[in-house]
Amino acid sequence: MGRGPWPGDRAVVPDADPLAAYAADFGPFDGRAWLNAAHQGPLPRVAVEAGRRALAEKSAPHRISDEAFLDVPRRLRRAIARLIGATPDDVVLGDSASYGLALLARGIPWRAGDEVLFVRGEFPASVFPWRVLERRGVALRFLGARAGNAPDADEVAAHITSRTRVFCTSWVNSFTGHATDVDAIARVCRAAGVIFVLNASQGLGARVLDVSASEVDALVCCGYKWLLGPYGTGFCWLRPTLREQLEPPHAYWLPNVWGRGDDMATYTMRDDLGARAFDIFDTANFLNFVPWTAALEYLLAAGPATVAGHDDALVQRLVGSIAREHYELVSPERGPSRSSLVVIRPVHGAGAAAIHAALSAAGVDAAVRQGAIRFAPHLYNTAADIDRAVDVLRRLASGGGAARE
């Protein structure tokens, strides 16, 4: 099975649905509309094929070269760096967003009385890695945000005190779909000497971010949502000035020894590893990192801005079709705070669980979060997928019960 054409290879088809441009590179979805990238993004076919090749090589290990143990993480690191506007030497390879948060929680030189600041309603993954610090006298404090659990810069500035060492927040709130003004908050934190940690798991891949033009200090992200990788993938970007303050949590033998000649019985630590000193172990990870690299290279070939535009058009189609007399739009309708998450709550009648069940029965996959329905369309979705979901919502609102198959 070949990779199929890249998005840039396609000829323009007159009268074709522009929102179906990438659908052929994914699936099959067994006749369903997967509107749930915020939970799991599907592998594009090029990533599936890369995974098959990795499995085949593991079944015949003589095909795996020694160089692959360095080439696999090197290629992945380059792809991530291109995506976020970073240099590869500043990218830490992990298995989740939590891995990067745990690195920071363990590595920052804390003092008793320090605090980590969050917004109330933050996703648990952004909070739990810091809880271990409470036994060391570090406090966790939450601020209330006026709009959708996404704080604005003034709210953050008003809650920073002399004890605040870190402000940690999500780029896009998983429960409400509200996007944070990253640049404005980064400036507030920089002025106050507070480390700004951004969890980009619900934004990166659907939106464009350039860390070289931002004052964010650390970026963490999982790889299996909008970045279309296997589960158990993720990365962390650390600003070099922050990374230099951290103590590496471990010492992995392979980058310290591999490629330094035939004598492997050497125990001298290298001092030129950069972010690699913070990597998770076994970064060759053929079965996960090889397909994830293929997925990231696919996104890069499509163009991050093009992907963001495609996703925004899907969101606009969905938002513009929701009957407001029947469904409250929890996520923003327009403007910079709108994300690729569309969150609705029934005004009356059936609850979120019943609506979710009706959607599922009609072949539409979404999520229930905090008593609301969350749609998360991405690159592989089409106008027909959106219309299918809207049809179910309309039938329910009109008292027609679950939509027909």
Side-chain angles (χ1 to χ4, degrees):
M1 177 180 174
R3 67 161 176 85
W6 291 113
D9 296 339
R10 293 186 204 289
V12 176
V13 179
D15 301 322
D17 174 9
L19 294 181
Y22 305 98
D25 295 332
F26 293 85
F29 293 104
D30 300 327
R32 303 183 68 83
W34 181 258
L35 297 173
N36 203 4
H39 169 55
Q40 293 281 329
L43 293 175
R45 290 180 181 175
V46 290
V48 173
E49 182 59 29
R52 288 187 178 127
R53 289 195 300 269
L55 281 169
E57 290 176 357
K58 182 60 178 173
S59 70
H62 65 277
R63 302 177 188 172
I64 302 175
S65 68
D66 285 352
E67 290 75 17
F69 286 86
L70 294 179
D71 288 342
V72 166
R74 184 183 296 123
R75 183 172 172 182
L76 174 58
R77 208 183 306 271
R78 283 200 301 260
I80 294 170
R82 284 180 59 200
L83 184 70
I84 64 172
T87 60
D89 286 344
D90 296 329
V91 174
V92 177
L93 301 182
D95 60 1
S96 58
S98 298
Y99 179 79
L101 294 171
L103 286 178
L104 291 160
R106 291 196 302 266
I108 291 173
W110 299 98
R111 302 178 298 266
D114 286 344
E115 70 175 21
V116 183
L117 185 63
F118 308 90
V119 62
R120 191 171 296 115
E122 179 59 73
F123 194 76
S126 293
V127 178
F128 271 90
W130 309 94
R131 296 227 69 140
V132 297
L133 299 172
E134 292 176 303
R135 69 190 69 163
R136 297 170 56 183
V138 176
L140 275 58
R141 186 162 61 89
F142 295 82
L143 65 90
R146 289 185 292 270
N149 300 339
D152 62 34
D154 291 339
E155 289 169 332
V156 175
H159 284 82
I160 288 176
T161 72
S162 59
R163 297 175 55 189
T164 308
R165 290 290 303 283
V166 169
F167 175 61
C168 178
T169 195
S170 291
W171 188 7
V172 174
N173 186 276
S174 187
F175 302 129
T176 69
H178 282 247
T180 297
D181 186 341
V182 172
D183 290 338
I185 291 178
R187 288 191 292 269
V188 165
C189 290
R190 180 61 55 86
V194 171
I195 298 169
F196 181 26
V197 179
L198 185 69
N199 186 338
S201 296
Q202 291 294 13
L204 193 62
R207 313 187 87 193
V208 178
L209 181 67
D210 182 353
V211 295
S212 70
S214 171
E215 295 188 76
V216 172
D217 294 299
L219 178 78
V220 302
C221 191
C222 67
Y224 56 86
K225 298 180 187 289
W226 305 92
L227 296 181
L228 307 177
Y231 190 72
T233 53
F235 76 93
C236 174
W237 171 83
L238 300 172
R239 188 173 296 280
T241 52
L242 172 60
R243 191 180 71 231
E244 291 164 4
Q245 301 175 39
L246 308 181
E247 191 69 28
H250 46 233
Y252 181 34
W253 75 271
L254 195 148
N256 278 287
V257 173
W258 214 257
R260 298 180 73 177
D262 293 333
D263 182 11
M264 296 183 66
T266 179
Y267 314 110
T268 304
M269 293 277 290
R270 294 178 58 172
D271 58 6
D272 60 347
L273 292 178
R276 287 185 294 163
F278 296 83
D279 282 346
I280 199 167
F281 293 158
D282 297 332
T283 50
N285 195 346
F286 303 106
L287 302 187
N288 264 4
F289 282 0
V290 169
W292 188 29
T293 301
L296 288 172
E297 291 174 347
Y298 174 86
L299 287 171
L300 289 165
T306 299
V307 175
H310 178 98
D311 287 4
D312 192 58
L314 291 165
V315 168
Q316 182 58 44
R317 189 178 187 93
L318 179 54
V319 168
S321 302
I322 291 172
R324 306 303 171 83
E325 66 271 24
H326 298 289
Y327 303 100
E328 173 195 359
L329 183 63
V330 177
S331 53
E333 181 175 4
R334 62 178 64 87
S337 62
R338 191 172 86 176
S339 70
S340 293
L341 301 183
V342 178
V343 183
I344 63 171
R345 185 177 289 116
V347 174
H348 49 71
I355 294 172
H356 180 262
L359 286 163
S360 181
V364 177
D365 294 299
V368 177
R369 295 292 185 271
Q370 303 292 91
I373 302 293
R374 187 186 70 188
F375 298 97
H378 198 14
L379 187 64
Y380 48 85
N381 288 120
T382 68
D385 293 335
I386 301 300
D387 295 345
R388 190 171 176 181
V390 170
D391 181 62
V392 178
L393 296 176
R394 285 176 177 164
R395 290 175 183 273
L396 289 171
S398 65
R404 294 189 299 271
E405 290 288 351

